Amino acid sequence: MNCSKEKTFADDIVLTFPKETKMKTQEFNEDSNEGGENLIYIGKIKSNIDVKYYQNILEPPPPPPYFNESEKDYLLRMKKLEDSIQNEKNPFFRTDKFPFLYSKNDNSVDSLSNKNLQIIVKQNDTIPLYKKDFDTKIIKKYYAFPVFIQNLSDKVLRIPTESKSTALYIYDDNLEKFYFARNSNYMICGMGSDSYFYFELKPNEILIYAYPYFKKGTKRKAKMKFYKASSKEFEISIDENIIKNQRNKHYE
């Protein structure tokens, strides 16, 4: 395991959030009914960045008009709804729209690997990850650590919008391989589409994601992955029951 402390671009970035924020450890399967992305930031390197998240990459459609509701009343109602949503989002989520693009049947995705991306994991830096419960509407605040990704190439990289977070891989000592580990075991279902949605990451620009801490237990070797790009190895503490409750093990 490489434990060197060489300086990286992420060392000069301060992630700011209210220091009195009360956080909790995310329980196994707790995120099955929650909204909100794990993405904090897209753009140029800045010395100070607020810990706020994109709530939706693809915004849900607005509710339809009521029966016999006039266009004026509908627009006023939508304006009030938007204002209330913006006020609720302001402390936790970004109010700007997610900068996604799309094209028809576009298969020209750049190969995202360590040749054009660098991943820096700050597994000892604790930040809050905000998630909104769909039923209770409560904003949950989880212990998390930041993951920084930089475009090392001289090209604009296309990042598919399905990239909601980095992926945690744990080392299996018996097979001497890394496998994908999650803090849940429910199924993830996708939807097919003729359109290809993506956002652009320009040269030297960065992405910042948050990854929730698992309930602590045995220390294991781990690394974060983003498509074919991998971080350096690090140690992480994970409860054995989380490992046992994985639906299956997807190895590299």
Side-chain angles (χ1 to χ4, degrees):
M1 185 180 301
N2 191 331
C3 297
S4 61
K5 298 294 183 180
E6 61 192 60
K7 187 175 176 61
T8 72
F9 74 91
D11 294 335
D12 295 325
I13 300 174
V14 176
L15 298 179
T16 303
F17 61 93
K19 297 306 177 186
E20 67 277 8
T21 301
K22 294 182 179 180
M23 295 172 266
K24 58 166 289 195
T25 301
Q26 186 185 70
E27 297 292 334
F28 189 75
N29 271 352
E30 189 174 358
D31 64 342
S32 62
N33 193 41
E34 296 173 348
E37 309 295 340
N38 288 50
L39 181 58
I40 298 172
Y41 180 76
I42 309 169
K44 297 179 180 178
I45 295 176
K46 300 196 305 185
S47 59
N48 194 295
I49 296 173
D50 288 337
V51 177
K52 290 187 177 184
Y53 296 85
Y54 287 96
Q55 190 166 11
N56 297 289
I57 288 181
L58 301 177
E59 293 286 343
Y66 294 142
F67 180 70
N68 287 338
E69 184 178 27
S70 70
E71 182 179 0
K72 180 180 179 181
D73 288 342
Y74 175 72
L75 293 175
L76 284 173
R77 183 165 64 86
M78 290 301 98
K79 178 66 167 60
K80 289 181 180 179
L81 177 62
E82 179 66 21
D83 288 345
S84 67
I85 292 174
Q86 294 293 77
N87 289 335
E88 178 193 60
K89 287 171 65 173
N90 190 53
F92 312 107
F93 301 106
R94 295 188 174 273
T95 56
D96 48 320
K97 300 293 184 182
F98 189 86
F100 76 88
L101 303 167
Y102 70 92
S103 60
K104 201 76 170 176
N105 297 320
D106 191 338
N107 295 318
S108 60
V109 186
D110 293 275
S111 177
L112 303 174
S113 68
N114 287 98
K115 292 181 179 179
N116 50 30
L117 292 174
Q118 179 185 24
I119 302 177
I120 303 297
V121 180
K122 297 284 188 177
Q123 72 272 17
N124 296 318
D125 292 357
T126 302
I127 60 173
L129 171 62
Y130 303 124
K131 294 286 182 176
K132 183 177 179 179
D133 188 287
F134 287 126
D135 292 331
T136 65
K137 311 303 180 187
I138 293 173
I139 304 295
K140 297 181 179 179
K141 308 173 183 73
Y142 296 124
Y143 289 109
F145 57 88
V147 180
F148 301 81
I149 302 174
Q150 183 183 32
N151 180 357
L152 297 177
S153 73
D154 58 0
K155 297 179 180 179
V156 175
L157 300 178
R158 287 187 173 187
I159 312 293
T161 56
E162 65 192 29
S163 309
K164 296 189 175 183
S165 180
T166 50
L168 177 68
Y169 276 69
I170 302 299
Y171 191 70
D172 187 325
D173 292 300
N174 294 323
L175 296 179
E176 298 183 342
K177 292 181 180 180
F178 282 90
Y179 63 90
F180 175 44
R182 299 171 58 222
N183 200 23
S184 56
N185 64 3
Y186 57 88
M187 294 292 291
I188 297 177
C189 299
M191 294 178 60
S193 174
D194 291 334
S195 296
Y196 167 67
F197 294 89
Y198 65 93
F199 61 95
E200 294 184 334
L201 189 65
K202 298 181 177 66
N204 294 318
E205 286 190 338
I206 63 171
L207 305 172
I208 305 177
Y209 288 91
Y211 201 88
Y213 287 112
F214 291 0
K215 186 176 180 181
K216 292 185 178 180
T218 305
K219 285 190 175 181
R220 296 174 175 270
K221 286 197 296 186
K223 62 182 176 180
M224 304 302 298
K225 295 196 68 176
F226 188 76
Y227 289 90
K228 294 181 181 178
S230 299
S231 72
K232 291 183 178 180
E233 295 176 19
F234 59 91
E235 274 195 344
I236 191 168
S237 177
I238 299 181
D239 185 346
E240 287 298 315
N241 288 323
I242 293 176
I243 301 302
K244 292 176 183 177
N245 287 325
Q246 298 292 296
R247 181 177 290 272
N248 52 47
K249 286 187 178 180
H250 171 69
Y251 288 89
E252 282 189 309

